[in-house]
Amino acid sequence: MDFLSLWATSAPAAPIWPQLDHSLRCDVLVIGGGFQGLSAALHLAEAGTDVVLLEAQEPGFGASGRNGGQVIPGLKDDPDTLDRLWGPAASEFAGRTADTLFELVARLGIDCDAVQGGWIQAGNRQVHLPGLQARMAQWQARGVAADWLDAAAMVQVTGARGFVGGWRDPRAGRVHPLKLARGLAQVAEAAGVKLFAHSKVAGLGRGGTGWQARLEAGVTVEAEQVILASNVYTPASLDPRLARATVPANSFQIATTPLTADQLARILPGGEVVSEARRVGTYFRIGPENRLMLGGRGSFADPQSAAGFARIEAELARLFGSGFEITHRWFGRVGMTPDHRLRLCAPAPGLLAATGFNGRGVALSISLGKAMAAHVAQGTPLPIPPSPSIPALPFHALHPIYGGLGIQYYRVRDALDR
């Protein structure tokens, strides 16, 4: 069964990007046409670097064009923890990721329905509230005008049932992710990036003084430096270490028919995006054509029919009641790590890679791509010190088994929370 996302049906037709059919040389090769790779290539080109970007499908094909379009600043760790782990530069970088995205969109005039309307992190149980209040207080101490929402306020601002409290972050917001990915690709080309679609890299290795990427079609690209930005879509044939660094989890999403005026006055009237504090929670927002969108963790196996989305549809009913008609169902892969931390690696001279965005990929990947470009082009220190190796997860081939067991375990713990 084909699953067509709301993003795909509400975006203009994609431009036609060429397939690479001849060998090239360049200063920097970027592999991967998602947010991270597109941002890195764009900023490198703006710095005067000769850049080639290779995408196995089309820009925005992977998670960048299928996610919930929630622009949430920060990493999973709170800023005090980031200070302890990597220093103030890391927490400052994390705190600016949403602003970086919205400023980039405004500067380049990218039409992607961008609205910096805020994010609410919602607590389902009393046990969630101390952690949420501490996180809010840490960002407030750094100048963020965040505010606390009690149970009554949560009903007013979300229209959903069952939340006991939460906090609102005004730095955050929403975009149409597929429009954003395609828009970034177009402005990157205009800046001088040589962008090629349907150009899958079959192998990557040292060649002379630099790197050589070999495509399935037999042509090669030689570069002094490489940014590997294929994230969880990295094939083992390209870099087995990066392919084994994360658990590729499916995120399932649904969208309803357009909401009525009465429903829009009740459900997210302020336009914020929401995600839950549960270990296996949902996230929701108002999307194109005023449709209610909701997503969450699905099975590790790809769904074969609409029945595979039953759990997500049950979450919609739990939060907002029955009577919604579902018109769109789709899914995509996100890269998860056991500690919920990004893997930023420099495993060889001239090679930089990042994976494991853990559900923060929209703002984080664009900001990280910009930082990687500055590092490669000008030698600017990265906001997070890169690891000299790529840590592989043990028994990675068994991830559908232990990942599925882990999800069930966390669902049980969520149910037991009070």
Side-chain angles (χ1 to χ4, degrees):
M1 178 177 181
D2 292 332
F3 297 100
L4 199 58
S5 76
L6 177 57
W7 308 127
T9 60
S10 60
I16 298 175
W17 288 283
Q19 181 178 8
L20 183 61
D21 59 4
H22 58 286
S23 295
L24 287 174
R25 294 182 64 91
C26 61
D27 295 333
V28 181
L29 169 63
V30 177
I31 301 175
F35 290 150
Q36 178 193 353
L38 291 167
S39 175
L42 166 66
H43 288 97
L44 282 165
E46 288 183 332
T49 306
D50 181 22
V51 188
V52 170
L53 186 147
L54 300 177
E55 162 58 38
Q57 300 291 336
E58 292 183 347
F61 169 81
S64 294
R66 305 188 206 183
N67 63 78
Q70 297 197 4
V71 183
I72 301 173
L75 280 72
K76 289 287 184 152
D77 284 309
D78 293 339
D80 285 359
T81 302
L82 294 175
D83 282 350
R84 290 194 298 270
L85 285 171
W86 298 307
S91 57
E92 182 179 356
F93 165 80
R96 275 200 49 78
T97 56
D99 287 334
T100 297
L101 183 152
F102 288 115
E103 289 166 4
L104 179 66
V105 166
R107 175 171 70 85
L108 298 173
I110 298 174
D111 179 12
C112 60
D113 307 337
V115 178
Q116 198 165 10
W119 163 60
I120 296 168
Q121 190 172 30
N124 308 75
R125 300 285 190 270
Q126 291 295 327
V127 71
H128 297 151
L129 302 189
L132 296 179
Q133 289 169 332
R135 180 170 300 131
M136 178 187 70
Q138 289 178 34
W139 284 119
Q140 286 175 328
R142 289 163 171 80
V144 176
D147 62 317
W148 183 254
L149 303 165
D150 62 17
M154 287 295 291
V155 173
Q156 289 184 327
V157 300
T158 69
R161 305 176 297 193
F163 295 131
V164 297
W167 72 290
R168 179 166 45 195
D169 187 336
R171 299 170 296 176
R174 62 188 190 270
V175 294
H176 188 303
L178 187 56
K179 285 184 180 179
L180 176 56
R182 291 174 177 173
L184 281 171
Q186 289 174 295
V187 296
E189 280 193 304
V193 175
K194 302 178 184 71
L195 191 155
F196 299 94
H198 304 289
S199 301
K200 185 175 181 179
V201 178
L204 178 67
R206 298 290 294 181
T209 59
W211 291 87
Q212 184 182 82
R214 178 178 53 81
L215 276 65
E216 289 188 336
V219 299
T220 61
V221 177
E222 295 183 359
E224 295 178 12
Q225 300 187 78
V226 173
I227 293 178
L228 193 50
S230 43
N231 194 10
V232 76
Y233 287 85
T234 305
S237 60
L238 180 55
D239 192 313
R241 301 165 300 173
L242 199 67
R244 296 195 300 266
T246 60
V247 173
N250 275 336
S251 184
F252 286 20
Q253 294 183 69
I254 56 176
T256 70
T257 54
L259 300 184
T260 65
D262 287 344
Q263 289 172 321
L264 286 169
R266 176 174 58 87
I267 300 173
L268 297 172
E272 297 95 342
V273 300
V274 181
S275 59
E276 295 185 76
R278 289 187 298 163
R279 298 173 185 86
V280 189
T282 63
Y283 51 92
F284 54 90
R285 58 167 285 186
I286 303 298
E289 302 163 348
N290 288 328
R291 298 172 187 267
L292 177 58
M293 302 174 59
L294 185 141
R297 292 289 168 264
S299 64
F300 279 83
D302 293 350
Q304 302 302 311
S305 69
F309 292 77
R311 186 183 293 274
I312 298 299
E313 293 178 32
E315 291 292 308
L316 176 67
R318 175 184 65 84
L319 289 166
F320 297 103
S322 59
F324 292 93
E325 180 184 351
I326 309 302
T327 57
H328 296 74
R329 298 172 177 87
W330 72 99
F331 66 99
R333 280 185 243 157
V334 294
M336 309 297 292
T337 55
D339 56 7
H340 304 294
R341 289 175 183 153
L342 177 75
R343 302 294 187 254
L344 177 59
C345 310
L351 178 62
L352 200 57
T355 189
F357 292 91
N358 292 283
R360 287 288 189 271
V362 178
L364 177 56
S365 59
I366 285 179
S367 298
L368 186 62
K370 178 181 179 180
M372 294 169 93
H375 178 73
V376 170
Q378 288 105 20
T380 306
L382 288 162
I384 298 172
S387 169
S389 61
I390 302 177
L393 295 175
F395 308 108
H396 185 267
L398 300 177
H399 77 262
I401 298 174
Y402 65 69
L405 291 173
I407 292 293
Q408 293 303 321
Y409 168 71
Y410 287 132
R411 283 191 173 123
V412 170
R413 290 189 63 185
D414 283 335
L416 294 175
D417 282 341
R418 293 291 181 266

